[in-house]
Amino acid sequence: MKIGIIGAGQLGRMLALAGYPLGINCTFLDSDSNSPAGLVSAIHVGEMDNINHLDSLAAEVDIITYEFENISVEALKAINPSVQIYPQITALATAQDRLKEKQLFESIGIPTAAYVQINKPEDLKSVEKKLGWPVVLKSRRLGYDGRSQHVVDSNSSLKSAWDSLKQVPAIAESWVNFERELSLIGVRGINGEIVCYPLSENVHKEGILRTTVAPYEDTELHNIAQNWLFSIMEKFDYRGVLTVEFFHTEQGLVANEMAPRVHNSGHWTIEGAETSQFENHLRAVLGLPLGDTKPRGYAAMLNFIGNMPSTIDALKISGAHLHDYCKKPRLNRKVGHLTLLANKREDLLKKIAYVKETLN
Ligand SMILES: Nc1ncnc2c1ncn2[C@@H]1O[C@H](COP(=O)(O)OP(=O)(O)O)[C@@H](O)[C@H]1O
Ligand SMILES: [Mg+2]
């Protein structure tokens, strides 16, 4: 079985690593030959939006998937139709645009933060009256890890924030006073088979995920979120892993955004669940039976942002599972992570505190 993967970042690397034991071969397309997945698997070095490069990948594989969201939908649609692409391009097109994403949530009855569309300078004037302050101004497209968004609390800062986004189509979103952030990762396979991981609790700083602890145990919340996730999947006749990020507020869950791919908040599933999100994504897109999503106790994932700790120091920590993506250190870049497991939640929290102190 040969699978073509567009984008060769760390998500691709972990997909490739999950494929090896099953005899699944991943071939990547990325413009950077030194990308994390290219270091462990075959790679075509080329532009992800170039139809010739996409077609030469397609010529070698049975199925195409992607680990990177900002690919041209037009280029994907032009790929030789004899090769199927999962998750469906329609789901990707929705996830690429925060407005379409919100409209999808609304159409299914999933609560979202109130928002105002910003397309022209006059649109800025209605924001204060409709949403109050603060608001988060987000470009509709191309944002990730908190980029292309600004928290603002006055008309003048709203205007300068939109100017700094070069006045691209955007949304102003009301500030959500959340108690915590949660995400839910589901997998839909061939013939509509569906499985779901438990809720994960996520801590972000400066818009970048720092820590995930799972499972977040609340059956009622889980069931609500799972119904929504499954409704989204049905709508697209989805194949693959789908993630929805939520704010947990006093009024319940508010959907933030969705990702039609494996997700940083699911990295804990490599060691912490019966089947990882990466293996399940491969199984789903290839039409194989899906794997058990049951957690093995409690798991935490700590992201390394900017640079890695010393390998020796990390490996001295008993039970720590180190993942080094082999990326060059750079400010605010995700370069690796560490997973911790425990049978009891309180033991896990103690381990997290110990690791944070030890690795600084
Ligand atoms: N409306 C909001 N209210 C409060 N916090 C927010 C809001 N929007 C975003 N954030 C914070 O910023 C993070 C990143 O925003 P998000 O919309 O998920 O963009 P990205 O695509 O960069 O992940 C969120 O996980 C959350 O911590
Ligand atoms: Mg997000």
Side-chain angles (χ1 to χ4, degrees), residues 93-297:
T94 303
Q96 282 179 346
D97 183 339
R98 293 188 193 275
L99 176 63
K100 284 194 193 152
E101 200 171 62
K102 282 218 159 42
Q103 289 167 340
L104 167 76
F105 293 153
E106 288 168 331
S107 76
I108 297 177
I110 306 174
T112 67
Y115 64 95
V116 171
Q117 290 188 48
I118 309 292
N119 298 312
K120 49 188 189 309
E122 299 81 79
D123 295 336
L124 298 171
K125 290 181 192 145
S126 62
V127 169
E128 178 171 23
K129 187 154 173 268
K130 287 193 182 143
L131 305 176
W133 305 116
V135 302
V136 190
L137 182 75
K138 303 179 177 181
S139 71
R140 277 173 56 178
R141 307 178 70 88
L142 301 175
Y144 69 97
D145 285 348
R147 289 174 214 210
S148 301
Q149 58 176 269
H150 300 275
V151 182
V152 295
D153 59 2
S154 68
N155 278 306
S156 60
S157 55
L158 177 64
K159 187 181 174 308
S160 32
W162 196 44
D163 289 344
S164 76
L165 294 180
K166 305 208 163 60
Q167 301 201 352
V168 292
I171 56 169
E173 191 179 285
S174 69
W175 181 258
V176 179
N177 246 325
F178 58 80
E179 289 166 29
R180 62 183 60 77
E181 291 186 85
L182 301 171
S183 59
L184 192 70
I185 299 178
V187 197
R188 190 166 181 275
I190 195 166
N191 301 327
E193 184 189 1
I194 293 190
V195 294
C196 193
Y197 290 95
L199 284 167
S200 301
E201 181 173 4
N202 305 315
V203 176
H204 294 81
K205 210 172 90 193
E206 290 149 358
I208 306 174
L209 181 65
R210 308 289 160 153
T211 310
T212 297
V213 175
Y216 180 76
E217 288 168 310
D218 183 324
T219 310
E220 201 184 320
L221 276 192
H222 177 93
N223 290 340
I224 292 170
Q226 181 173 284
N227 282 336
W228 288 336
L229 184 90
F230 289 178
S231 300
I232 298 171
M233 287 177 151
E234 294 298 336
K235 194 143 190 158
F236 293 109
D237 192 21
Y238 198 87
R239 281 264 291 274
V241 163
L242 177 72
T243 308
V244 181
E245 296 178 16
F246 295 100
F247 301 118
H248 185 201
T249 73
E250 270 182 7
Q251 287 76 41
L253 293 176
V254 173
N256 174 24
E257 61 170 353
M258 68 177 210
R261 53 168 171 80
V262 287
H263 195 260
N264 194 173
S265 68
H267 290 2
W268 65 269
T269 61
I270 296 176
E271 294 89 4
E274 287 296 334
T275 316
S276 77
Q277 62 163 349
F278 301 99
E279 180 176 331
N280 258 333
H281 184 72
L282 296 176
R283 291 186 187 213
V285 300
L286 287 168
L288 299 169
L290 302 182
D292 192 348
T293 52
K294 217 166 88 208
R296 297 168 166 158

